[in-house]
Amino acid sequence: MNTALPRKELFDLPDGLIYLDGNSLGPLPRSVAATVSRVVTEQWGTQLIRGWNQSRWMQQPGRVGDIVAGLLGAPDGSVMMGDTLSIKVFQALAASLPLRPDRRVILSDTGNFPTDLYMAQGLVESLGQGHELRVVEPEAVEAAIDDSVAVVMLTHVDYRTGRLHDMDGITALTHQVGAISLWDLAHSAGAVPLDLTATGCEYAVGCTYKYLNGGPGSPAFIYVRPDMIELTRPALAGWMGHAAPFAFDPRYQPAMSIERMRVGTQPVIQTSALEAALEVWEGVDMQDIRDASIQLSERFIKEVEARCPELRLASPRAAAQRGSQVSFAHEHGYAVMQALIDAGVIGDFRAPDIMRFGFTPLYLDEDDVIRAASILQEILADRRWDEPRYRVVNAVT
């Protein structure tokens, strides 16, 4: 279904601001504030503990999971919400290794987000069974997939450069050698078309505060291929994942559905905010989003390279090899980005020299892109970035 883009009227963005950081934190959808207020005052405030039944808080992680599943090309009952992305990475990885008990290699790449690598390192050390986290360059991943590998754990879109892995091809190669496929979709969900059913990966995880606009700290998701659910042993055997949590059985028995991937009690208010935020996707075709994203990012690259020759494109040149972000490198990239933010164009910075710009067609148009490039040109031309205040490094870059 074709849908007119952008849908700026659905978002609460400050007037005059150009927001190119939806790849890090999505903006506030207008429906969220009223929903959160209602959850706090009407549900929590008047229903109290009864809200778990009257407002169906107990079913919320699976209900919202089914909405997210629609954006992932996954069936109902295969996605569960809750916890953080780090926890979901740990869950998926810990479930994968016992499925290949004769193998010891977790394969990843240098483009993976650090928390994924940290969780793998911690799991390897905790297990103490001789597992190895093998990290190669992104271009070397396919050649490194062999029959020593238990799990191939990759982030689909590189958080620094936006480079896009061939998910279908790598998953197929992973399965050819009998390994498990685990994808981090943090920079993919809501940005590029996904079809997890067709891809066939066993596990996928992701966050919801980027392109899905769930708000800071919104819950993460985990996908388990339906035929793998009963084979998946939850390493984090939480009460909420029990087959009958209110039987209060001291022995853990996992639910016979995706519910087994629940760990602790979900943050009801934050999950409610996410559920409201997902309304902006109603009637939106992900291929339309992808087409518009490519158009915006291609125009931005053209404008920046014409106006700002001192910047170097750090993202793949070919649009088909990028996610929904464009990165440029500059020796003083942090200071340049701070000056740009001060001028009303918000992107962000990743060490050592990467300026990131996200393109979200739900609330951006071509005029925004051209104006952003023009302001960037001005900042570089008059060396505005060289002011001492722009060199003060904040806690979050």
Side-chain angles (χ1 to χ4, degrees):
M1 173 180 180
N2 290 325
T3 304
L5 296 171
R7 295 178 150 192
K8 292 188 178 188
E9 72 281 1
L10 300 182
F11 292 88
D12 192 2
L13 281 164
D15 290 340
L17 184 74
I18 302 174
Y19 194 66
L20 303 181
D21 208 16
N23 55 304
S24 190
L25 176 67
L28 175 66
R30 292 188 185 277
S31 62
V32 169
T35 296
V36 169
S37 177
R38 184 170 62 254
V39 170
V40 171
T41 60
E42 297 179 16
Q43 296 182 11
W44 179 19
T46 64
Q47 296 172 8
L48 298 165
I49 192 68
R50 294 172 295 178
W52 287 100
N53 291 318
Q54 293 181 8
S55 292
R56 295 177 58 80
W57 293 344
M58 192 66 176
Q59 292 77 25
Q60 188 182 50
R63 181 175 70 243
V64 179
D66 285 346
I67 300 172
V68 172
L71 297 172
L72 306 179
D76 287 353
S78 66
V79 174
M80 182 54 59
M81 310 303 302
D83 315 301
T84 67
L85 178 53
S86 298
I87 295 298
K88 292 310 180 195
V89 169
F90 184 93
Q91 275 189 290
L93 192 55
S96 298
L97 293 178
L99 298 174
R100 299 295 183 269
D102 57 333
R103 302 187 183 197
R104 290 292 180 269
V105 175
I106 302 167
L107 178 65
S108 192
D109 72 7
T110 57
N112 209 342
F113 194 73
T115 196
D116 296 39
L117 301 179
Y118 301 161
M119 297 308 289
Q121 291 165 10
L123 178 61
V124 166
E125 292 172 4
S126 297
L127 290 174
Q129 296 177 3
H131 289 93
E132 168 197 351
L133 174 61
R134 184 176 299 166
V135 180
V136 301
E137 293 299 314
E139 298 76 15
V141 166
E142 295 187 19
I145 298 174
D146 59 30
D147 59 10
S148 70
V149 174
V151 186
V152 177
M153 178 186 71
L154 299 170
T155 293
H156 186 210
V157 176
D158 188 306
Y159 74 102
R160 285 172 299 192
T161 66
R163 175 197 40 75
L164 183 69
H165 269 308
D166 175 7
M167 183 189 291
D168 289 346
I170 290 176
T171 300
L173 186 57
T174 298
H175 289 163
Q176 286 178 21
V177 301
I180 299 292
S181 179
L182 165 56
W183 288 97
D184 183 335
L185 306 178
H187 290 267
S188 308
V192 298
L194 296 165
D195 188 346
L196 295 187
T197 297
T199 298
C201 60
E202 284 83 358
Y203 301 103
V205 296
C207 59
T208 61
Y209 48 78
K210 301 181 190 301
Y211 296 101
L212 299 184
N213 311 303
S218 59
F221 64 81
I222 184 167
Y223 161 83
V224 181
R225 201 175 70 197
D227 66 299
M228 298 294 298
I229 289 175
E230 293 186 21
L231 300 175
T232 296
R233 187 176 70 197
L236 297 174
W239 175 50
M240 285 291 183
H242 194 281
F246 284 89
F248 300 105
D249 186 343
R251 298 164 300 172
Y252 180 74
Q253 294 293 331
M256 297 302 288
S257 68
I258 191 65
E259 292 282 328
R260 68 175 54 195
M261 304 313 287
R262 294 178 71 168
V263 182
T265 304
Q266 84 275 12
V268 171
I269 297 170
Q270 189 69 70
T271 310
S272 299
L274 170 62
E275 188 169 10
L278 291 170
E279 293 173 4
V280 303
W281 292 95
E282 292 179 4
V284 175
D285 188 303
M286 280 307 304
Q287 190 57 53
D288 291 343
I289 290 287
R290 178 62 170 164
D291 293 344
S293 169
I294 289 175
Q295 182 178 358
L296 292 173
S297 60
E298 289 287 276
R299 184 60 186 266
F300 185 71
I301 292 172
K302 179 180 178 181
E303 293 287 335
V304 170
E305 291 191 325
R307 297 167 181 266
C308 312
E310 59 266 63
L311 298 183
R312 175 180 61 82
L313 180 65
S315 297
R317 175 71 59 182
Q321 297 174 11
R322 294 193 307 267
S324 198
Q325 73 181 62
V326 170
S327 298
F328 281 94
H330 187 277
E331 180 184 2
H332 302 287
Y334 178 79
V336 174
M337 182 56 73
Q338 301 318 299
L340 190 62
I341 292 171
D342 205 22
V345 179
I346 298 184
D348 65 15
F349 174 82
R350 291 294 177 263
D353 59 359
I354 298 295
M355 296 186 294
R356 301 193 309 173
F357 303 91
F359 296 91
T360 309
L362 287 175
Y363 51 82
L364 291 172
D365 58 31
E366 193 170 41
D367 288 343
D368 295 325
V369 165
I370 295 171
R371 189 153 62 92
S374 176
I375 294 172
L376 178 58
Q377 178 185 17
E378 294 170 5
I379 287 170
L380 290 168
D382 62 17
R383 292 182 64 87
R384 200 179 314 167
W385 57 267
D386 209 11
E387 296 181 25
R389 60 182 172 140
Y390 296 137
R391 295 177 177 272
V392 177
V393 179
N394 293 311
V396 176
T397 63

